[in-house]
Amino acid sequence: MTVQLKNVAIRYVVGDFRNIGFKDFMLKKVKQQYTVKKFWAIKDVSFELEQGDFLGIVGTNGSGKSTLLKAVSGIMPPTKGTITVNGNVAALLELGTGFDGEMTVQENTFLRGALMGYTREFMHQAYPEIIKFAELEEFENRPFRQLSSGMKSRLAFSIACLVKPEILILDEVLSVGDGAFKNKSESKMKDIIKDGATTLFVSHSISQMKKLCNKMLWLNKGEQMAFGEASEVLKLYESFLKEK
């Protein structure tokens, strides 16, 4: 077992202070007019993944997919339940974030590798392949802020995939770049599957899910509708979409 969730629930607390100033917020609080709203983004989700499983997570907007990935990656602790993760994790939740805009592409690559726990020696060995896969050989000495959003996404994807993590968490990342890079990304994901990495993957592309995933989790408004073999769960999900 590499990833296990038991009865996981995540609750958000939203106050009415978001659209008012600090002074107004304090006045509301003193007058006991300050209110908060609580809602469950994830409700009682349980599943288990073995080494090499490629889990696709499907659901309409607002179903809790990205929230669940943040919890598994350790960014957001569950309100209830337990999450067990055994292995080195690389999470690509918001491509292009977590980089320093003033540092060069090369410097950012080594920084991201260090943050993921890899040695400088390992990154020296991996760097040429990373920069080539990202198609950024001519930009490696440019400040990161000068890259287009597509270039930033390609670099983030390349770093995460080419350092060979044991657990890979991807949120809508195979839609980056042009058609040629999308095909290359899918090919790289297939290599990762062969290498035995456990992957959690969110995408709105049913065709990508069918190509890559062996397991599937369907969420609807935070609730677990189904978990199991990808083909069976996708049939249920596609029928649900047709009925909407």
Side-chain angles (χ1 to χ4, degrees):
M1 178 268 296
T2 56
V3 177
Q4 183 185 67
L5 276 69
K6 286 186 176 180
N7 307 117
V8 169
I10 298 172
R11 183 179 62 192
Y12 283 123
V13 178
V14 180
D16 60 4
F17 56 84
R18 290 182 300 169
N19 298 318
I20 62 175
F22 179 73
K23 182 179 178 180
D24 289 335
F25 162 67
M26 292 304 296
L27 287 172
K28 279 178 171 282
K29 194 169 184 180
V30 169
K31 295 178 181 179
Q32 296 185 337
Q33 295 173 340
Y34 164 68
T35 59
V36 296
K37 296 179 181 179
K38 300 177 181 180
F39 72 94
W40 293 94
I42 296 293
K43 309 169 188 175
D44 198 28
V45 172
S46 299
F47 64 84
E48 187 172 310
L49 301 176
E50 301 295 336
Q51 181 181 352
D53 277 339
F54 199 117
L55 174 71
I57 304 176
V58 294
T60 55
N61 291 335
S63 60
K65 304 184 297 296
S66 295
T67 297
L68 187 65
L69 290 189
K70 288 177 182 177
V72 176
S73 65
I75 295 173
M76 180 180 295
T79 309
K80 295 181 180 178
T82 59
I83 298 175
T84 304
V85 177
N86 296 316
N88 178 27
V89 178
L92 281 166
L93 303 180
E94 296 177 8
L95 286 181
T97 61
F99 291 98
D100 187 315
E102 299 305 315
M103 294 173 66
T104 66
V105 169
Q106 184 179 44
E107 290 168 339
N108 269 293
T109 302
F110 278 85
L111 176 61
R112 177 63 71 94
L115 292 173
M116 292 171 65
Y118 294 99
T119 65
R120 189 169 184 82
E121 181 183 4
F122 174 84
M123 290 305 297
H124 269 295
Q125 295 173 351
Y127 177 75
E129 187 180 0
I130 289 170
I131 209 72
K132 182 179 179 181
F133 188 89
E135 302 171 5
L136 294 174
E137 295 99 324
E138 297 179 8
F139 298 87
E140 56 185 324
N141 294 315
R142 295 267 192 97
F144 185 78
R145 59 180 167 76
Q146 292 183 1
L147 300 184
S148 68
S149 58
M151 290 175 175
K152 293 174 181 177
S153 296
R154 295 204 307 266
L155 180 63
F157 179 85
S158 300
I159 294 170
C161 293
L162 296 177
V163 294
K164 304 189 187 323
E166 294 168 302
I167 299 169
L168 187 60
I169 299 175
L170 306 171
D171 190 354
E172 290 287 356
V173 300
L174 295 189
S175 59
V176 303
D178 56 21
F181 190 80
K182 289 176 185 177
N183 291 335
K184 190 163 70 169
S185 299
E186 287 189 5
S187 177
K188 175 54 64 177
M189 294 311 305
K190 290 175 182 176
D191 290 341
I192 288 174
I193 295 169
K194 292 177 183 177
D195 289 341
T198 303
T199 304
L200 291 83
F201 175 48
V202 164
S203 175
H204 284 101
S205 173
I206 299 297
S207 61
Q208 282 185 337
M209 293 284 188
K210 290 179 178 178
K211 289 179 187 176
L212 297 170
C213 303
N214 70 312
K215 297 284 181 65
M216 193 67 56
L217 172 68
W218 170 21
L219 298 176
N220 185 47
K221 296 180 180 178
E223 296 185 4
Q224 179 171 329
M225 306 299 290
F227 168 75
E229 293 300 316
S231 58
E232 296 302 316
V233 176
L234 275 175
K235 285 179 184 177
L236 295 173
Y237 180 61
E238 287 181 299
S239 297
F240 167 78
L241 292 178
K242 290 177 182 177
E243 292 172 1
K244 289 195 70 176

